[in-house]
Structures are given as structure tokens and as C-alpha cells.
Amino acid sequence: MDTTSPRTSPAAGITDGLPNPERLLAFLAIAIALTMAVLDSAIVNVALPVMARELQVDPATTVWAVNAYQLAITISLLPLASLGDSLGYRRIYWAGLLVFTLSSLGCALAGSFPMLIAARVLQGFGAAGIMSVNIALVRFIYPAKLLGRGVGNTALVVAISSAAGPTVAAAILSVASWSWLFLINVPLGIFALIVAARTLPDTPRSTRRLDGWSVALNALTFGLLITGIDALSTGSFTYPLFAIAGAVVAGFVFVRYQLPLAMPLLPLDLLRLPVFALSMMTSICSFSTQALATLALPFYFHDELGRSVAETGMLMTPWPLAIAVAAPIAGRLADRFSPGLLGGLGLATLSAGLALVAMLPDNPSTADIVWRLTICGLGFGLFQSPNNKAIITSAPPERSGGASGMQSSARLVGQSLGAAIAAVLFGLVPGSPTTVILWLGAVLSLVGCVTSSLRILRGGRPAGR
């Protein structure tokens, strides 16, 4: 175990990671908060029917318990990441965790659906505080030579949380009411707050100020974009087209307003860096691919193969479990090899896995399904950690917040885009569209493989700590 003292770069004046056991404790605080934020997205989906019955609202309205949370995260990621650059990532993370914990209690105590939605919006803002700067903090918790390991450990936490979400929700709902899905966050949050206050490192701060017009244009652009994409799943194209067109107009104004700024809220300065831009494109392609597959596969297992709900849930677990195995290994490899090479290999593997799933015989055995999905998960896990490391290290240390916020934004945009494409194909393709969706995922993954591999040609030297 490395117990050396943190080193400081004379040029930058920046501490090169924390010594153990402070490093382990600091990462523990991040892991707990990230687990709660990721779990919350998964467990509420399972509880929607129960919430609809107990709060006496129709199922279509209940979906806003999910949408309000996701929308709050989407519109606040970049502003909170920007605040992290100026106020310090530790403060934003701790404040986000505090809001998330208190609003979880508010969700549990909500006596009506409007009260629940209000608490969920606050909870989304708290989750954005956690997600917007978590990779930026990892950059300062781990020494530069071990950063890939830290990023891999973060991907491991996300993968396990995603895999465990439905199981945790089902276990809680089998013995308690839906309010306990939120109450469980309170003691965990208090513990993480105490550990974070004692162990998270202070980080460099910029002199920038948060611009109100930038925040408003960011909210308008991403709010319209995500709601428009999500609305495609309804089968009606009127609102989605108007919303997406509005997002394009707002986005144009947003970019024009940001261009003359030295440190813009929308990090155009970082997007001018070839490695950063290619990493963002790779991230969007990969998360779109994952969303396509994870929406199509349950219908394939349940409707086409006739598997039970329990069997369908079990068949979905090899993918995230394989990510959990591959991500920390890929993180260690990212400390030695090019992220472009590792990411390209990972997405090529994911593409091959999806093609193998699409070519399954009419009545495949469970083993046939499991080993193919395992290949998909291993490919995604091999890509994710090196790509996240490339995103954070291609930005200067004082812009780590902007890079971290963009990494989370790319994930959300990719997931929303993939989900919308899958929903549209379900409505347009006659018969069973799952094979078409899986082949499209394989193609998107290959596009991501190309953009990842281009980083090898562009170099990709990190911008320092």
C-alpha cells in the first residue's frame, strides 16, 4: 500500500494526490455519494407503479418522478461544474451531497405528488453537484501515475450501482413502503458528509464568476433538447420537433454568447482541444449504444423469447457485472497505454458483442445469451475508464470542473439520444425491431471506435495534474 506523502509540482503548486489512508477515505466519500445518485435513478423506476397507486395519480403522470430528477441534473451540471472551478470542487461536492441528503428526506416525507416532484427537483440539483465534479476530485485524490486506477474505481462504483438498482428496490419494496427508497439515503448521506468534510482535498480555484445569461441559455438549450428527445418516445412528433428546433436556436445563441469569453460556461475552450473533443464524441456514441441495447433487450427476452420478468432481470445483469470486472483493470491499463487505443479496442469489442447478440438463433440457451452480453460488458468496461481519464487529463487542472461537467453531460445526452432512437424504431419498424436496434448499436459503437482511435493520431498528452 502506497503511504507516501503527497507531492507538489513546483510549477503548478498543485498537490499530486493524497497519501493513504486519506486517499481511501476520500474515495469512500465519493463512492457513497455516487452510489446514492446512481441508485436513485434506477430504484425509482421500479417503484413507479406503487407510487401511482398510493399517491393516487395515473402512471403517465408518475413518470415525472423520474423526469423531474433527470431534467434538474441535466440543466445544472455545467453551472455547478463552473462553480467548482471558481469555489473549489470540495465545496460543490459537499453542498450537493447535503442537498441530496436533505431532499431525500423530503421525498420520503412527501404527502402528495406535487410535494414529491418538488423534492425530486431539489434532489436532482444535489445529484448534479455530486456528478459535476466527481471526476475532477478524483484527479486530485489520486497521484498522476495512479489516476487511471482512480477513474477505473469510479466506473466500478457506477457499474455496481446500476446493476444493483432494481434488486435493491425490489428488496426494499418487499418489506417496506416506497418512502424507504429515499430514507435509506439519509444515514448514508450523513456518514459521507462527515468523511468528505475531513478528507476531500482543497483544489485550485479560478477567478471566474458565474454569468446569469450563460446559466439561463444553458438551461434553455439542454432543457429543450432533453425533453424534446425524451418526448419522441410518445409517438407524437409535434412537441419533440418544436422542442429540438428551439434547442438548436437557443444553442446557437448560447455558443455565440460563449465565444468571446475567456472561460466559458460551455467549455468551448476545451472543445478546441482535439483529444477532448474526440473523447466527448466517443462518449456520446458509446452511451447511445448502451441505451439502445438496454432498452431493446428486455423486450427481446420477455416478448420474443418468452422469458419471465425475473429471468429477464437476471439476463440483464451479465452486462453491468462484466463492466464492474473490466473497468478497474482498464483503469490500471490506462496508466500505461493510450486511452485512444484502449477505447478503440473496447468499443470494437462492444460492437462485436452486439452483433453476436443480434445473430442469436431463434431459441437460444441462457448460456448463449450470457456469454454474448458478457462480451458487450467487457468491451464497454474496457472503453469507459480510459475515455474518462482522457477527458479529465486533456483539460488544464484549473478547468477540471468544466471537463468533469462535460463528461457527465455527454453521458446524459448519449443515454437520452439512444433511448429516443430506440423508442422511434419501436414505433416505425414492423414486427420485432430489436434486431434492427441491436445492429444500429453495433454501428454506433464502431463510429465511437473510430473517434477513439483518432486520438492516437492526435497525440493526447495530458494537460498536467
Side-chain angles (χ1 to χ4, degrees):
M1 183 179 293
D2 180 13
T3 57
T4 58
S5 299
R7 297 181 305 277
T8 301
S9 165
I14 299 168
T15 301
D16 186 17
L18 299 175
N20 276 328
E22 287 90 343
R23 185 193 311 155
L24 293 176
L25 290 172
F27 185 78
L28 176 64
I30 285 183
I32 293 173
L34 199 54
T35 297
M36 292 192 298
V38 173
L39 272 178
D40 225 65
S41 298
I43 61 179
V44 174
N45 289 330
V46 178
L48 288 180
V50 179
M51 290 180 177
R53 183 177 66 251
E54 293 192 10
L55 296 174
Q56 298 181 344
V57 293
D58 61 89
T61 303
T62 314
V63 172
W64 275 99
V66 176
N67 292 347
Y69 180 76
Q70 292 292 346
L71 190 58
I73 292 175
T74 302
I75 65 175
S76 57
L77 273 173
L78 290 181
L80 289 172
S82 177
L83 278 176
D85 283 338
S86 58
L87 300 179
Y89 311 129
R90 171 179 176 167
R91 290 184 178 181
I92 298 302
Y93 200 87
W94 201 90
L97 180 54
L98 178 63
V99 171
F100 185 90
T101 303
L102 293 175
S103 56
S104 294
L105 181 61
C107 290
L109 299 177
S112 66
F113 191 68
M115 289 177 62
L116 176 63
I117 295 302
R120 285 288 282 170
V121 169
L122 288 176
Q123 198 179 33
F125 289 139
I130 295 168
M131 295 179 180
S132 63
V133 296
N134 74 88
I135 294 295
L137 274 169
V138 167
R139 185 178 193 177
F140 294 94
I141 289 172
Y142 282 81
K145 66 178 181 180
L146 301 178
L147 181 57
R149 184 180 304 183
V151 173
N153 290 341
T154 305
L156 171 65
V157 170
V158 172
I160 292 177
S161 302
S162 300
T167 303
V168 170
I172 292 175
L173 291 173
S174 67
V175 297
S177 68
W178 61 265
S179 61
W180 280 94
L181 297 174
F182 301 106
L183 278 176
I184 196 172
N185 290 332
V186 177
L188 289 173
I190 292 172
F191 175 74
L193 283 166
I194 295 170
V195 176
R198 296 178 62 88
T199 61
L200 290 184
D202 287 322
T203 55
R205 301 175 192 176
S206 68
T207 57
R208 66 180 301 177
R209 291 189 176 185
L210 198 59
D211 176 14
W213 281 109
S214 295
V215 172
L217 288 169
N218 167 80
L220 190 62
T221 300
F222 284 100
L224 286 172
L225 178 64
I226 297 300
T227 56
I229 290 174
D230 286 346
L232 288 171
S233 61
T234 63
S236 172
F237 292 97
T238 304
Y239 173 76
L241 290 178
F242 275 107
I244 293 172
V248 171
V249 174
F252 176 78
V253 176
F254 187 24
V255 170
R256 294 281 296 181
Y257 184 75
Q258 298 290 290
L259 280 172
L261 303 180
M263 297 181 69
L265 175 66
L266 181 67
L268 299 174
D269 54 331
L270 299 182
L271 289 170
R272 294 188 184 100
L273 303 173
V275 172
F276 185 86
L278 289 169
S279 298
M280 297 302 297
M281 291 173 61
T282 303
S283 188
I284 291 173
C285 288
S286 63
F287 281 103
S288 295
T289 298
Q290 188 183 49
L292 282 167
T294 52
L295 278 173
L297 288 172
F299 289 96
Y300 172 65
F301 296 146
H302 187 268
D303 295 347
E304 295 184 38
L305 300 184
R307 301 299 181 98
S308 68
V309 174
E311 288 177 312
T312 297
M314 291 298 293
L315 287 172
M316 292 297 293
T317 57
W319 186 314
L321 289 179
I323 295 175
V325 171
I329 297 172
R332 291 172 181 257
L333 292 174
D335 289 325
R336 301 179 57 190
F337 301 103
S338 163
L341 173 63
L342 295 172
L345 288 173
L347 291 180
T349 303
L350 173 58
S351 180
L354 287 173
L356 289 169
V357 176
M359 293 187 293
L360 276 167
D362 291 338
N363 294 297
S365 66
T366 298
D368 272 344
I369 297 170
V370 167
W371 72 260
R372 286 170 167 83
L373 290 181
T374 300
I375 289 176
C376 292
L378 291 174
F380 192 88
L382 181 59
F383 141 80
Q384 190 177 18
S385 300
N387 193 69
N388 288 348
K389 182 185 177 184
I391 289 173
I392 197 66
T393 57
S394 60
E398 67 276 7
R399 296 291 280 131
S400 296
S404 182
M406 283 294 286
Q407 182 263 336
S408 295
S409 297
R411 174 175 56 81
L412 288 174
V413 170
Q415 289 172 339
S416 297
L417 185 61
I421 293 172
V424 170
L425 290 177
F426 271 115
L428 295 180
V429 178
S432 172
T434 53
T435 301
V436 174
I437 293 173
L438 291 171
W439 278 114
L440 178 58
V443 171
L444 263 179
S445 189
L446 280 180
V447 173
C449 172
V450 171
T451 58
S452 179
S453 301
L454 285 174
R455 293 179 293 185
I456 302 173
L457 302 178
R458 302 299 304 186
R461 293 180 181 178
R465 280 292 308 156

PDB file of all heavy atoms in Angstrom, residues 141-160:
ATOM      1  N   ILE A 141      -7.340  13.488  -5.865  1.00  0.00           N
ATOM      2  CA  ILE A 141      -7.232  12.484  -4.802  1.00  0.00           C
ATOM      3  C   ILE A 141      -6.117  11.490  -5.114  1.00  0.00           C
ATOM      4  O   ILE A 141      -5.349  11.089  -4.238  1.00  0.00           O
ATOM      5  CB  ILE A 141      -8.577  11.757  -4.615  1.00  0.00           C
ATOM      6  CG1 ILE A 141      -9.606  12.696  -3.982  1.00  0.00           C
ATOM      7  CG2 ILE A 141      -8.420  10.497  -3.759  1.00  0.00           C
ATOM      8  CD1 ILE A 141     -11.012  12.128  -3.947  1.00  0.00           C
ATOM      9  N   TYR A 142      -6.017  11.094  -6.391  1.00  0.00           N
ATOM     10  CA  TYR A 142      -5.029  10.095  -6.795  1.00  0.00           C
ATOM     11  C   TYR A 142      -3.798  10.766  -7.398  1.00  0.00           C
ATOM     12  O   TYR A 142      -3.921  11.768  -8.117  1.00  0.00           O
ATOM     13  CB  TYR A 142      -5.627   9.137  -7.835  1.00  0.00           C
ATOM     14  CG  TYR A 142      -6.532   8.083  -7.233  1.00  0.00           C
ATOM     15  CD1 TYR A 142      -7.851   8.378  -6.917  1.00  0.00           C
ATOM     16  CD2 TYR A 142      -6.060   6.799  -6.974  1.00  0.00           C
ATOM     17  CE1 TYR A 142      -8.691   7.416  -6.357  1.00  0.00           C
ATOM     18  CE2 TYR A 142      -6.883   5.839  -6.421  1.00  0.00           C
ATOM     19  CZ  TYR A 142      -8.197   6.153  -6.112  1.00  0.00           C
ATOM     20  OH  TYR A 142      -9.006   5.195  -5.557  1.00  0.00           O
ATOM     21  N   PRO A 143      -2.606  10.241  -7.143  1.00  0.00           N
ATOM     22  CA  PRO A 143      -1.407  10.736  -7.830  1.00  0.00           C
ATOM     23  C   PRO A 143      -1.548  10.549  -9.331  1.00  0.00           C
ATOM     24  O   PRO A 143      -2.293   9.670  -9.787  1.00  0.00           O
ATOM     25  CB  PRO A 143      -0.277   9.858  -7.267  1.00  0.00           C
ATOM     26  CG  PRO A 143      -0.817   9.279  -6.006  1.00  0.00           C
ATOM     27  CD  PRO A 143      -2.292   9.147  -6.193  1.00  0.00           C
ATOM     28  N   ALA A 144      -0.835  11.353 -10.097  1.00  0.00           N
ATOM     29  CA  ALA A 144      -0.953  11.299 -11.559  1.00  0.00           C
ATOM     30  C   ALA A 144      -0.686   9.897 -12.092  1.00  0.00           C
ATOM     31  O   ALA A 144      -1.362   9.432 -13.007  1.00  0.00           O
ATOM     32  CB  ALA A 144       0.002  12.311 -12.196  1.00  0.00           C
ATOM     33  N   LYS A 145       0.284   9.202 -11.494  1.00  0.00           N
ATOM     34  CA  LYS A 145       0.630   7.877 -12.007  1.00  0.00           C
ATOM     35  C   LYS A 145      -0.436   6.827 -11.710  1.00  0.00           C
ATOM     36  O   LYS A 145      -0.424   5.741 -12.288  1.00  0.00           O
ATOM     37  CB  LYS A 145       1.974   7.434 -11.416  1.00  0.00           C
ATOM     38  CG  LYS A 145       1.948   7.213  -9.911  1.00  0.00           C
ATOM     39  CD  LYS A 145       3.294   6.743  -9.404  1.00  0.00           C
ATOM     40  CE  LYS A 145       3.255   6.484  -7.887  1.00  0.00           C
ATOM     41  NZ  LYS A 145       4.573   6.028  -7.380  1.00  0.00           N
ATOM     42  N   LEU A 146      -1.364   7.150 -10.804  1.00  0.00           N
ATOM     43  CA  LEU A 146      -2.432   6.207 -10.435  1.00  0.00           C
ATOM     44  C   LEU A 146      -3.812   6.725 -10.823  1.00  0.00           C
ATOM     45  O   LEU A 146      -4.827   6.163 -10.391  1.00  0.00           O
ATOM     46  CB  LEU A 146      -2.405   5.933  -8.919  1.00  0.00           C
ATOM     47  CG  LEU A 146      -1.123   5.348  -8.336  1.00  0.00           C
ATOM     48  CD1 LEU A 146      -1.258   5.192  -6.829  1.00  0.00           C
ATOM     49  CD2 LEU A 146      -0.801   4.005  -8.991  1.00  0.00           C
ATOM     50  N   LEU A 147      -3.872   7.775 -11.635  1.00  0.00           N
ATOM     51  CA  LEU A 147      -5.164   8.387 -11.942  1.00  0.00           C
ATOM     52  C   LEU A 147      -6.087   7.422 -12.677  1.00  0.00           C
ATOM     53  O   LEU A 147      -7.297   7.391 -12.423  1.00  0.00           O
ATOM     54  CB  LEU A 147      -4.957   9.657 -12.770  1.00  0.00           C
ATOM     55  CG  LEU A 147      -6.223  10.421 -13.153  1.00  0.00           C
ATOM     56  CD1 LEU A 147      -7.027  10.796 -11.910  1.00  0.00           C
ATOM     57  CD2 LEU A 147      -5.876  11.673 -13.953  1.00  0.00           C
ATOM     58  N   GLY A 148      -5.528   6.646 -13.589  1.00  0.00           N
ATOM     59  CA  GLY A 148      -6.349   5.668 -14.294  1.00  0.00           C
ATOM     60  C   GLY A 148      -7.008   4.689 -13.331  1.00  0.00           C
ATOM     61  O   GLY A 148      -8.170   4.304 -13.513  1.00  0.00           O
ATOM     62  N   ARG A 149      -6.291   4.308 -12.291  1.00  0.00           N
ATOM     63  CA  ARG A 149      -6.851   3.414 -11.279  1.00  0.00           C
ATOM     64  C   ARG A 149      -8.025   4.078 -10.570  1.00  0.00           C
ATOM     65  O   ARG A 149      -9.060   3.452 -10.326  1.00  0.00           O
ATOM     66  CB  ARG A 149      -5.770   3.037 -10.268  1.00  0.00           C
ATOM     67  CG  ARG A 149      -6.205   2.041  -9.220  1.00  0.00           C
ATOM     68  CD  ARG A 149      -5.074   1.722  -8.251  1.00  0.00           C
ATOM     69  NE  ARG A 149      -3.880   1.229  -8.949  1.00  0.00           N
ATOM     70  CZ  ARG A 149      -2.781   0.830  -8.334  1.00  0.00           C
ATOM     71  NH1 ARG A 149      -2.707   0.894  -7.005  1.00  0.00           N
ATOM     72  NH2 ARG A 149      -1.746   0.393  -9.016  1.00  0.00           N
ATOM     73  N   GLY A 150      -7.871   5.370 -10.246  1.00  0.00           N
ATOM     74  CA  GLY A 150      -8.961   6.091  -9.587  1.00  0.00           C
ATOM     75  C   GLY A 150     -10.183   6.209 -10.469  1.00  0.00           C
ATOM     76  O   GLY A 150     -11.322   6.020 -10.011  1.00  0.00           O
ATOM     77  N   VAL A 151      -9.979   6.514 -11.749  1.00  0.00           N
ATOM     78  CA  VAL A 151     -11.100   6.619 -12.687  1.00  0.00           C
ATOM     79  C   VAL A 151     -11.761   5.258 -12.862  1.00  0.00           C
ATOM     80  O   VAL A 151     -12.993   5.141 -12.940  1.00  0.00           O
ATOM     81  CB  VAL A 151     -10.619   7.180 -14.032  1.00  0.00           C
ATOM     82  CG1 VAL A 151     -11.724   7.132 -15.066  1.00  0.00           C
ATOM     83  CG2 VAL A 151     -10.123   8.614 -13.868  1.00  0.00           C
ATOM     84  N   GLY A 152     -10.939   4.195 -12.904  1.00  0.00           N
ATOM     85  CA  GLY A 152     -11.489   2.847 -13.017  1.00  0.00           C
ATOM     86  C   GLY A 152     -12.315   2.457 -11.808  1.00  0.00           C
ATOM     87  O   GLY A 152     -13.370   1.820 -11.937  1.00  0.00           O
ATOM     88  N   ASN A 153     -11.857   2.844 -10.623  1.00  0.00           N
ATOM     89  CA  ASN A 153     -12.630   2.559  -9.412  1.00  0.00           C
ATOM     90  C   ASN A 153     -13.972   3.294  -9.425  1.00  0.00           C
ATOM     91  O   ASN A 153     -14.988   2.764  -8.964  1.00  0.00           O
ATOM     92  CB  ASN A 153     -11.829   2.961  -8.175  1.00  0.00           C
ATOM     93  CG  ASN A 153     -10.634   2.060  -7.923  1.00  0.00           C
ATOM     94  OD1 ASN A 153     -10.582   0.938  -8.435  1.00  0.00           O
ATOM     95  ND2 ASN A 153      -9.676   2.539  -7.156  1.00  0.00           N
ATOM     96  N   THR A 154     -13.970   4.521  -9.968  1.00  0.00           N
ATOM     97  CA  THR A 154     -15.224   5.272 -10.090  1.00  0.00           C
ATOM     98  C   THR A 154     -16.190   4.570 -11.036  1.00  0.00           C
ATOM     99  O   THR A 154     -17.387   4.442 -10.743  1.00  0.00           O
ATOM    100  CB  THR A 154     -14.942   6.698 -10.600  1.00  0.00           C
ATOM    101  OG1 THR A 154     -13.993   7.336  -9.735  1.00  0.00           O
ATOM    102  CG2 THR A 154     -16.214   7.532 -10.642  1.00  0.00           C
ATOM    103  N   ALA A 155     -15.680   4.095 -12.170  1.00  0.00           N
ATOM    104  CA  ALA A 155     -16.523   3.354 -13.115  1.00  0.00           C
ATOM    105  C   ALA A 155     -17.048   2.070 -12.485  1.00  0.00           C
ATOM    106  O   ALA A 155     -18.190   1.661 -12.749  1.00  0.00           O
ATOM    107  CB  ALA A 155     -15.731   3.031 -14.385  1.00  0.00           C
ATOM    108  N   LEU A 156     -16.247   1.450 -11.636  1.00  0.00           N
ATOM    109  CA  LEU A 156     -16.679   0.238 -10.924  1.00  0.00           C
ATOM    110  C   LEU A 156     -17.868   0.540 -10.023  1.00  0.00           C
ATOM    111  O   LEU A 156     -18.852  -0.207  -9.988  1.00  0.00           O
ATOM    112  CB  LEU A 156     -15.516  -0.321 -10.108  1.00  0.00           C
ATOM    113  CG  LEU A 156     -15.829  -1.468  -9.135  1.00  0.00           C
ATOM    114  CD1 LEU A 156     -16.279  -2.702  -9.905  1.00  0.00           C
ATOM    115  CD2 LEU A 156     -14.594  -1.794  -8.291  1.00  0.00           C
ATOM    116  N   VAL A 157     -17.796   1.653  -9.295  1.00  0.00           N
ATOM    117  CA  VAL A 157     -18.894   2.051  -8.405  1.00  0.00           C
ATOM    118  C   VAL A 157     -20.176   2.272  -9.200  1.00  0.00           C
ATOM    119  O   VAL A 157     -21.261   1.801  -8.818  1.00  0.00           O
ATOM    120  CB  VAL A 157     -18.520   3.334  -7.628  1.00  0.00           C
ATOM    121  CG1 VAL A 157     -19.733   3.898  -6.895  1.00  0.00           C
ATOM    122  CG2 VAL A 157     -17.390   3.047  -6.641  1.00  0.00           C
ATOM    123  N   VAL A 158     -20.071   2.975 -10.336  1.00  0.00           N
ATOM    124  CA  VAL A 158     -21.250   3.253 -11.158  1.00  0.00           C
ATOM    125  C   VAL A 158     -21.838   1.953 -11.707  1.00  0.00           C
ATOM    126  O   VAL A 158     -23.063   1.756 -11.703  1.00  0.00           O
ATOM    127  CB  VAL A 158     -20.893   4.213 -12.310  1.00  0.00           C
ATOM    128  CG1 VAL A 158     -22.065   4.365 -13.281  1.00  0.00           C
ATOM    129  CG2 VAL A 158     -20.492   5.574 -11.750  1.00  0.00           C
ATOM    130  N   ALA A 159     -20.986   1.042 -12.172  1.00  0.00           N
ATOM    131  CA  ALA A 159     -21.468  -0.216 -12.750  1.00  0.00           C
ATOM    132  C   ALA A 159     -22.194  -1.069 -11.714  1.00  0.00           C
ATOM    133  O   ALA A 159     -23.274  -1.612 -11.971  1.00  0.00           O
ATOM    134  CB  ALA A 159     -20.295  -0.995 -13.351  1.00  0.00           C
ATOM    135  N   ILE A 160     -21.597  -1.186 -10.530  1.00  0.00           N
ATOM    136  CA  ILE A 160     -22.229  -1.994  -9.484  1.00  0.00           C
ATOM    137  C   ILE A 160     -23.548  -1.365  -9.043  1.00  0.00           C
ATOM    138  O   ILE A 160     -24.553  -2.068  -8.843  1.00  0.00           O
ATOM    139  CB  ILE A 160     -21.278  -2.162  -8.287  1.00  0.00           C
ATOM    140  CG1 ILE A 160     -20.075  -3.028  -8.690  1.00  0.00           C
ATOM    141  CG2 ILE A 160     -22.000  -2.777  -7.089  1.00  0.00           C
ATOM    142  CD1 ILE A 160     -19.042  -3.192  -7.596  1.00  0.00           C
TER     143      ILE A 160
END
